[in-house]
Amino acid sequence: SDGLEVAYLKHGYYPFAAQTALELKVVEKEQITYKIIYDVTEKYYNVKLMEKLVSIAEDSVKLACDNADVVKKNYELGYVSLLEVKNVDNAVLKAQHSLESYERNLEIATNSLKISLMIEDDEREIILTDDIKLPEMPENADEKIAGAMETRYDVTALKKSAYLSERYF
């Protein structure tokens, strides 16, 4: 080995570089873990949203059908025109199509959540609750942003890389 390599060994650069690489891998693992937690939580709330949209669409179909019945009775009595009957029939069809679309989206969201949770059993049902405990946000948002910047993998990697480069120099 040349004199430069001996100097690096003597001053502990290589062990320090290896230790820095290990620390970065630990931070990267934490980042991946939190990303998975975020993705699963996001998919959970997408399923909850789709469930509510399906419920609202079901109510909408029921209201459209009730309204169509009233308009058809009024047509029989001669109070409304045939055009209005056709319009309410179209409104019922539109509400039914919306319901079908939301039901498909609910199925997609549920399957996406199952994939994230690695549930391969198609017959297993996911029962969602609203019992998720979320940490309270601090009153000072700048504090939270500064803390988030300290835990970002790319920021940590750049800081350690800069320090390693200074040490190498």
Side-chain angles (χ1 to χ4, degrees), residues 43-58 98-114 125-126 128:
K43 289 175 182 178
Y44 170 88
Y45 283 112
N46 282 340
V47 171
K48 293 291 285 182
L49 173 66
M50 287 300 128
E51 284 179 343
K52 288 189 193 271
L53 288 173
V54 165
S55 174
I56 291 168
E58 287 170 346
S98 293
L99 174 60
E100 290 168 7
S101 175
Y102 288 132
E103 287 173 338
R104 278 192 303 274
N105 289 339
L106 174 60
E107 185 179 345
I108 290 168
T110 303
N111 287 337
S112 179
L113 179 60
K114 283 183 176 183
E125 185 179 343
I126 297 177
L128 306 179

Side-chain angles (χ1 to χ4, degrees), residues 85-103:
V85 172
K86 294 197 181 282
N87 283 339
V88 294
D89 286 340
N90 286 337
V92 170
L93 286 174
K94 186 176 178 182
Q96 288 171 339
H97 290 305
S98 293
L99 174 60
E100 290 168 7
S101 175
Y102 288 132
E103 287 173 338

Side-chain angles (χ1 to χ4, degrees), residues 80-161:
V80 297
S81 67
L82 182 61
L83 178 62
E84 289 185 50
V85 172
K86 294 197 181 282
N87 283 339
V88 294
D89 286 340
N90 286 337
V92 170
L93 286 174
K94 186 176 178 182
Q96 288 171 339
H97 290 305
S98 293
L99 174 60
E100 290 168 7
S101 175
Y102 288 132
E103 287 173 338
R104 278 192 303 274
N105 289 339
L106 174 60
E107 185 179 345
I108 290 168
T110 303
N111 287 337
S112 179
L113 179 60
K114 283 183 176 183
I115 289 168
S116 292
L117 295 172
M118 292 194 258
I119 297 174
E120 295 177 9
D121 184 6
D122 286 339
E123 294 180 16
R124 187 177 292 177
E125 185 179 343
I126 297 177
I127 299 172
L128 306 179
T129 66
D130 288 329
D131 295 339
I132 295 178
K133 303 278 190 267
L134 297 173
E136 289 189 24
M137 292 291 288
E139 291 181 20
N140 186 356
D142 294 334
E143 214 175 274
K144 189 71 174 176
I145 292 170
M149 291 303 288
E150 291 299 318
T151 60
R152 285 185 54 120
Y153 171 75
D154 50 351
V155 173
T156 304
L158 286 171
K159 286 179 181 177
K160 292 204 179 266
S161 177

Side-chain angles (χ1 to χ4, degrees), residues 11-66:
H11 293 289
Y13 172 77
Y14 290 126
F16 180 77
Q19 180 64 33
T20 301
L22 180 64
E23 289 171 4
L24 286 176
K25 289 299 176 186
V26 168
V27 172
E28 184 178 11
K29 178 187 172 272
E30 287 175 2
Q31 180 193 28
I32 291 168
T33 301
Y34 286 122
K35 182 174 181 350
I36 290 169
I37 291 169
Y38 175 82
D39 288 345
V40 170
T41 304
E42 181 181 39
K43 289 175 182 178
Y44 170 88
Y45 283 112
N46 282 340
V47 171
K48 293 291 285 182
L49 173 66
M50 287 300 128
E51 284 179 343
K52 288 189 193 271
L53 288 173
V54 165
S55 174
I56 291 168
E58 287 170 346
D59 292 343
S60 177
V61 168
K62 184 181 178 308
L63 287 172
C65 289
D66 291 346

